[in-house]
Amino acid sequence: MLFRSADGCAKFAAAAAAGDPAPATVFNAMVMHPEYVAGSERLDTDLMRAASRHLVAKVGAEGFYCVIVPNMKLGVALKVEDGSKRAAEPALLAALRAVDAISTAEFEHLSAYARPDIRNTRNEVVGQLRTQLQF
């Protein structure tokens, strides 16, 4: 299922890049108004804003994310087994940075999602979540 989701996103990305009217219209509407895609103060919205309108991201249920990058004809699908957004957000940003779908500056702009603080019951920072990708 995950491969099919990524493949579908890649096909949508290629169609939007080719100027196919329906995918291009949907893509442009999403990047022009990311707050309608996911609300405010959410990774998908902040990622679309930070990425200067060159990708679309959408969260799904239980730690699922998909990303469409037309200029790369790329689709990304990510699912965290336990459904945690705590792991999904840093993993998604690390993967996008690894394939150059987002720049270092865009990644750093999203550092609160990329390297979230871990806090104790007193709300004190006691660590930071970090990712390590292996290909």
Side-chain angles (χ1 to χ4, degrees):
M1 161 141 142
L2 198 56
F3 174 78
R4 288 186 179 137
S5 295
D7 188 51
C9 288
K11 288 176 181 174
F12 186 99
D20 188 335
T25 299
V26 170
F27 179 83
N28 289 328
M30 292 174 79
V31 296
M32 294 298 289
H33 303 284
E35 66 280 0
Y36 294 144
V37 175
S40 60
E41 298 180 28
R42 303 234 343 226
L43 174 59
D44 4 19
T45 303
D46 293 343
L47 176 57
M48 287 186 277
R49 285 185 177 138
S52 305
R53 300 183 174 155
H54 70 261
L55 62 77
V56 164
K58 182 67 182 116
V59 67
E62 298 295 319
F64 177 81
Y65 273 93
C66 64
V67 178
I68 297 166
V69 190
N71 66 337
M72 299 176 78
K73 297 179 181 137
L74 175 69
V76 176
L78 177 133
K79 171 71 173 110
V80 174
E81 281 190 29
D82 71 357
S84 168
K85 83 172 192 167
R86 180 177 123 160
E89 292 176 345
L92 179 67
L93 291 172
L96 292 173
R97 181 65 205 114
V99 298
D100 287 328
I102 59 174
S103 69
T104 301
E106 292 163 344
F107 182 83
E108 289 305 320
H109 180 75
L110 298 163
S111 64
Y113 298 104
R115 293 181 298 276
D117 292 334
I118 298 171
R119 297 178 176 272
N120 66 13
T121 56
R122 292 191 223 173
N123 204 31
E124 301 166 328
V125 176
V126 295
Q128 199 173 55
L129 194 63
R130 298 195 182 211
T131 56
Q132 180 177 349
L133 296 179
Q134 296 180 344
F135 294 98

